[in-house]
Every structure is written in structure tokens, then in C-alpha cells.
Amino acid sequence: MITHKNLCTSCSGLYEYNRLSKTGRQKILRLLFIFQTLIAAISWLAWFIAAQDSKLGYFVQKSFFLPVPLEQVKNQVINNFSLAEFPSWLICLNDLHIPSGYQVLNHLSMLVFVIIYGFIFFKTVFPDFNVPKFKSFTEKQTPSQNDLSWLIAIAFISTLMLPANSSDIFGYISFGEQIVHYNQNPYSEILANIENWRLDPLLGNMRWEYNPSPYGPVFTLICKFFVSISWNNLWLSFFIFKIFNFICYLLLIYIFHHTLKYFLREGIADSSQKTKIWNADRVWHLVALNPLLIIQGLWNGHNDLLLAVLAFAPVFFTVKALSSEENAETVDGKQSRVLFKSLKPKYLGINLAICLLILSVLVKYITIILIPLLLLWIWKRARYIPYYGLITGILCFYFSSQYFNLFNIDYTEISNNATLFHKSLFDVVNTVFKLITKTDLPRSAVLISLAAYALFYAYIFFKLFFSKADKKSDLDFLKSLSVVYAVLLLIISPKFHSWYLISLLPFAAISHPRLCFALSLGHLLSITFIDQAHVLNYLLMTVLPVAQTYFYDSHLRRN
């Protein structure tokens, strides 16, 4: 059982802060806790006041809620809570729409929040930034229990907050409600087909009434279960999903700590980084207090936090099995011996890793690209194929898919939604292409990019296949997982949101912490008007951090 005490005491492989760093970090964490609590109180107070029929209620409605007719806003606020989305500010190469009236207050307040939170995040990761010489990579120290207490308190307060700029959590509730109370299949039937669906409190905040569920069947079953135990109560459903994300957060930082400890204990930290800035203490805080985890995962309640746990836990179980001395023995070539050895604890961990990774695919399909690389890693290091894990995962896929009849539905709408050009590199290219040709970028461009990605993936796979396999190569495998996943998310995917990076964070934090840090700060802008731009969002939040990291690393290698 994971408790606060054993989570603290198990961190012996992490690095202790010196007296200055320890004191400075605890002060900054207390400041963030107070700041986050004030934001939570303001958001709930704004929701309560906006529902009142008064001049103050009118002011709050115009300042913080959607730019729709006043009565419609008021009704949504009363029946549900529509603090989930902010007014639009569209920035394009040839178009600029500036919000009028009180809506400017909303944008300015979020910019102030980003500046404050970005500063606090930076000072938490680098509490001794003003010290001339950073600590080295090899110090053996342990983190403070008070530090972890503040981190958990901040995470819990964020869990209780109304969503900042996303209504996805209400979509999860709606999919569960479709199944539980309307006996609809969310993959083949849409919400708009339900008569007077807006009158149902659990459906009223849904923003995708014409779209089928884009998620895997396992997550849809989770939605069904959570709604079924909420007794048709919106508030209870809301907090069940939020508390579930909080548990996922605790699991993630726990397994991330142990995975990080393995890589550093084995002496395989990234030696290519000549600067010793990124010790394990900073890398752990880079994930534990990451703005994407806190804001998009806990505050907005995205299911990518669950995806991060299911996608990264296999790395944890794999390295735990590989670090066992018993794994040094080779496995017999006989099939019966392989299956028999699968029952040993060290192999059960590997089978569990593959099973969890398949489950992650059944939450969001994108992690399917990690399965071949993890199987290759296990085979090269342990000369073992996890049959039980593969069979269990495939059975989960079959029965969950059969439950929703996924083998016999039309995927046209789902594929159209998945290939929508939205806040991605394709969106940037399509915007420029449309300005020049007055037509949209052809959809065949997606197929061409996927073909190029397949060649890139094959190159990475065969490079690892012919490489040497030992403990020192484990970091190379983790880097490969990070690279293929990052390229798919940041470059190939036609549809992109900042919270998609949540599942990439634990991989990137170990394999390239500098890039992870830069992207985390860049995507803080996702809760401001910049996120709604067609070109500026991707350039500022993704291209700029990646370019800055690339040129900085190139400078280090030359020197």
C-alpha cells in the first residue's frame, strides 16, 4: 500500500536539498499552496455569484463566462457550471479579433496567473538558482517530508477546483450517462439524438453533441462505472472523476520516483549533458509540480493523467524486473519452460507491464506505438516474450470492444474527428496553405506524414534491434520510446492539445529534462488566449521551446 510515509522514506535515491535550497523550496511551495487556494476560492465564488440575479452577477457573467446571450449563460451556470471555457480570442496571420468589455479582464487575469505560476514552477525546480555553482549529478541525498506534504496539498487543492479552460471532464460524464440512463452506444450514437438532452444536468455541459466517443473502450467503461455510482448527481460524478485523477497523480509520481532511482543508481544518467544542472531532485520536481500535470491533469481533469500512469508503469515494472539479479539467467528455448517461468515474480512484473501498456491503448489509442519497442526491449534484455501479458491484454481488448460492438460500427465520424487540423503543425501548414491557395490542405497530407513516420519508426526499431543490450543501453531504449512518442504527438498528429503532453512527461523528464522543462513552461500559455490561435499557439508553445533546446544542446556539444 502506498502511504505518505513510505513514499517519503522510499526516496533514498533522490537528492537532498542543501539548507538554502530546502528552505527556499518549502517557502515557494507554501506560496503556491496559498495562491492555488485563492484561485480555487475565486473560481467557486465566481460560479456562485454568476448564478445570482443581480448587478454583481451580471458583471461576473460578462467577465468570466462564455460570450453567449446572457440568459443562456445564466441558465448554464445555474444548471451546471460553465466556468469550463473562456471567451475566444482568435489570432491568425490575417485576422485579429479582440474581445470587448469585461472579457479583457478574463484574459489579463489568466496572463497574470501564468506569470506567477511559471515563476513558482521555475523556483521549485531550481530553488538554488541564485547560487553560483549548481550541485553535481552524483550527490546522494533524500527529499524532505514537508516538501512532499506541500506538493500533495497543492495537488489536492487543484483537484477540487472548477476546470480552467476545458470542458472535457463533462464529456466523460456525458458518455457515462449515455450508457447508464439512455442505453446508447457512445461509439455509434450521438448525444444530439436524445430529445431535450440539454435538460439533463449530466449532459448539459457537453460540447461534442455531434461526435461519437473518441476514447478507447476501457475508458468508456470507467465513465460508465463512475456515473453509475453517482446516483445521477452531477456534482458527485464530477468529484468522482476528479478524485480518481488525484489518485492517478499519486501513482504517477510514485512510479516515476522509483524508475528515476533505477536509472541513476545504475550510473547511466545522461552523460551527454555536460552541465550538471539536472540532478534527480530537480527531475522529480519537474514532474511532481509540472504545470501540465497540475493544471491540465488535476485542475481540468483530463484523462491523459490515467494514460500517463498506464503508459509509464510498464517502464517501472520492466526496469524493476531487469534490475533483479534473478533475471541474469537465460530462459530455455522450450515453450513449456517459458510459460512455467512466467509464473515467477520477476516475469510476472514483465507480463504486467505489457498488459498495462495494452490497457493504455484501450484508454487512448496513440500509445499502441510503444508496444513493439517495449517488447523488443524485454526480449533483448531478458530473452523472454511475455505471453501471459499479451494474452491478457488482447482478451481485455476483445471483450471491451465486443461490449460496445466496435467491430461492426462505422468509423467515419471518429476518423474525421481524429484527423481534424487543430492546434498542431498541420493547423499551421493548413492556415498558410489556405492563405495562399484559398483552399484547405488535402487530407492526403496526413497519409503522407504517416508513411514518413512509419519509415522513421522502422529506423528506430532496427537501430535498437542491432544495438548492444545491457544495463547501460536501458536509457537508450527509454529515449527511443520518448522520441517516437514525441514525434507522433508534436509533429505527425493532425489534432493536438497541450494536455496530450501529460503522458509524454515522465518519459521526457528522464531522457531529456531540459526539453521537458521548456515545453512545460511553453504550454502554460494553453490557459490563455494564445492557445486559441491558429498559428501563434503552436509556434510559441511548441516550436520555440523545441528550437531553443535544440540550439542550446548543439552549443553544449560544440563546446
Side-chain angles (χ1 to χ4, degrees):
M1 180 178 178
I2 300 173
T3 64
H4 178 273
K5 182 177 179 180
N6 65 30
L7 180 59
C8 293
T9 55
S10 67
C11 293
S12 59
L14 297 183
Y15 298 155
E16 175 93 327
Y17 331 122
N18 57 31
R19 189 177 300 275
L20 174 62
S21 302
K22 181 177 177 180
T23 305
R25 178 171 282 145
Q26 289 182 6
K27 285 182 179 179
I28 206 74
L29 286 174
R30 284 196 292 268
L31 174 63
L32 179 57
F33 174 77
I34 295 171
F35 178 63
Q36 202 81 338
T37 304
L38 287 175
I39 295 294
I42 290 171
S43 65
W44 281 103
L45 184 63
W47 169 78
F48 177 77
I49 293 175
Q52 309 304 312
D53 188 12
S54 64
K55 291 183 178 180
L56 182 59
Y58 176 84
F59 173 81
V60 174
Q61 289 168 1
K62 295 293 288 183
S63 301
F64 292 96
F65 294 91
L66 292 170
V68 295
L70 183 59
E71 285 304 316
Q72 183 179 347
V73 175
K74 183 178 177 182
N75 290 334
Q76 288 179 353
V77 172
I78 291 174
N79 294 330
N80 310 292
F81 19 95
S82 49
L83 192 65
E85 292 186 0
F86 292 115
S88 299
W89 190 347
L90 180 65
I91 300 178
C92 189
L93 289 179
N94 64 343
D95 200 6
L96 177 63
H97 298 285
I98 301 177
S100 59
Y102 299 126
Q103 294 170 12
V104 176
L105 174 63
N106 197 351
H107 294 302
L108 292 177
S109 64
M110 296 314 295
L111 281 174
V112 171
F113 172 82
V114 164
I115 293 171
I116 295 175
Y117 197 100
F119 171 76
I120 291 175
F121 174 59
F122 181 87
K123 285 295 291 181
T124 304
V125 176
F126 298 110
D128 51 356
F129 180 73
N130 55 338
V131 177
K133 185 177 181 180
F134 286 99
K135 294 176 290 182
S136 71
F137 217 97
T138 56
E139 293 179 44
K140 296 289 183 180
Q141 302 167 341
T142 56
S144 161
Q145 183 169 334
N146 290 333
D147 221 37
L148 186 60
S149 300
W150 284 112
L151 282 170
I152 294 176
I154 291 166
F156 186 71
I157 287 295
S158 302
T159 302
L160 301 180
M161 295 171 69
L162 284 168
N165 66 325
S166 173
S167 59
D168 281 18
I169 191 171
F170 303 115
Y172 310 154
I173 295 172
S174 298
F175 290 135
E177 176 77 349
Q178 268 187 279
I179 304 169
V180 173
H181 293 103
Y182 295 95
N183 295 316
Q184 282 193 345
N185 185 344
Y187 294 97
S188 59
E189 300 175 84
I190 59 175
L191 202 64
N193 291 338
I194 301 176
E195 186 178 358
N196 297 322
W197 64 273
R198 286 279 184 195
L199 300 180
D200 187 333
L202 275 74
L203 303 180
N205 261 306
M206 179 64 158
R207 299 285 184 255
W208 326 315
E209 60 268 27
Y210 297 103
N211 295 328
S213 173
Y215 305 113
V218 165
F219 181 72
T220 307
L221 286 173
I222 292 174
C223 294
K224 175 191 175 182
F225 174 70
F226 286 167
V227 171
S228 65
I229 63 175
S230 68
W231 297 293
N232 203 36
N233 185 291
L234 174 64
W235 293 96
L236 186 56
S237 297
F238 176 78
F239 283 111
I240 287 174
F241 276 95
K242 289 281 231 166
I243 295 300
F244 178 70
N245 266 20
F246 178 68
I247 295 172
C248 289
Y249 169 81
L250 295 180
L251 287 173
L252 182 61
I253 63 173
Y254 178 81
I255 63 177
F256 179 77
H257 151 65
H258 282 284
T259 308
L260 179 65
K261 185 171 68 172
Y262 165 79
F263 282 105
L264 294 176
R265 184 180 64 241
E266 298 299 334
I268 53 178
D270 189 359
S271 59
S272 65
Q273 295 180 6
K274 296 182 179 180
T275 54
K276 304 287 187 176
I277 294 177
W278 290 105
N279 59 29
D281 165 50
R282 296 189 177 96
V283 173
W284 188 80
H285 281 87
L286 173 61
V287 171
L289 198 65
N290 195 282
L292 292 173
L293 281 184
I294 299 297
I295 297 175
Q296 302 292 2
L298 296 173
W299 188 352
N300 285 338
H302 288 290
N303 62 354
D304 296 81
L305 200 47
L306 169 63
L307 182 67
V309 174
L310 293 177
F312 193 72
V315 177
F316 163 67
F317 285 111
T318 301
V319 298
K320 186 176 181 180
L322 295 179
S323 63
S324 170
E325 292 183 0
E326 295 179 56
N327 266 345
E329 61 176 306
T330 58
V331 180
D332 259 346
K334 296 181 180 179
Q335 185 76 4
S336 59
R337 293 283 296 176
V338 172
L339 294 176
F340 176 76
K341 283 179 177 281
S342 296
L343 299 176
K344 292 186 176 182
K346 58 180 179 291
Y347 293 117
L348 285 176
I350 293 178
N351 280 281
L352 179 60
I354 289 296
C355 183
L356 288 175
L357 191 54
I358 295 176
L359 286 177
S360 76
V361 177
L362 300 178
V363 171
K364 278 192 171 183
Y365 309 112
I366 194 170
T367 53
I368 193 172
I369 62 167
L370 302 180
I371 295 177
L373 291 178
L374 185 62
L375 286 172
L376 177 63
W377 185 11
I378 293 170
W379 170 252
K380 286 185 70 69
R381 288 282 278 110
R383 286 295 186 266
Y384 173 71
I385 298 176
Y387 292 99
Y388 287 164
L390 286 170
I391 293 171
T392 305
I394 291 171
L395 288 176
C396 289
F397 163 74
Y398 176 78
F399 287 113
S400 61
S401 300
Q402 195 69 26
Y403 182 85
F404 293 108
N405 197 27
L406 294 185
F407 301 112
N408 299 309
I409 67 172
D410 183 7
Y411 285 91
T412 304
E413 287 297 326
I414 295 177
S415 61
N416 287 340
N417 182 38
T419 57
L420 179 69
F421 298 157
H422 186 67
K423 299 182 181 180
S424 62
L425 178 60
F426 273 102
D427 194 14
V428 175
V429 175
N430 182 58
T431 302
V432 177
F433 185 83
K434 194 172 183 179
L435 286 174
I436 298 173
T437 65
K438 307 301 181 184
T439 58
D440 287 322
L441 190 69
R443 296 285 172 173
S444 58
V446 178
L447 297 178
I448 295 173
S449 69
L450 287 175
Y453 180 75
L455 293 175
F456 168 75
Y457 189 91
Y459 166 75
I460 295 293
F461 184 88
F462 286 107
K463 180 182 177 182
L464 292 173
F465 182 81
F466 292 108
S467 64
K468 184 179 179 182
D470 53 24
K471 287 185 177 181
K472 292 186 177 181
S473 68
D474 286 343
L475 186 62
D476 293 330
F477 272 96
L478 186 63
K479 285 182 177 181
S480 299
L481 291 173
S482 303
V483 168
V484 297
Y485 199 20
V487 169
L488 183 59
L489 281 175
L490 299 176
I491 299 176
I492 303 300
S493 176
K495 187 176 183 180
F496 178 74
H497 288 285
S498 294
W499 52 83
Y500 291 178
L501 293 175
I502 291 176
S503 56
L504 175 65
L505 280 178
F507 296 94
I510 296 177
S511 61
H512 205 311
R514 186 180 295 112
L515 177 60
C516 181
F517 182 70
L519 282 173
S520 300
L521 284 179
H523 281 270
L524 254 177
L525 296 172
S526 63
I527 62 172
T528 69
F529 59 86
I530 292 175
D531 184 57
Q532 300 167 23
H534 279 303
V535 174
L536 192 62
N537 55 4
Y538 189 81
L539 294 179
L540 284 182
M541 297 191 297
T542 302
V543 174
L544 186 62
V546 171
Q548 184 272 336
T549 305
Y550 172 78
F551 288 118
Y552 186 76
D553 285 351
S554 299
H555 172 73
L556 289 179
R557 285 192 294 268
R558 286 195 302 269
N559 297 332

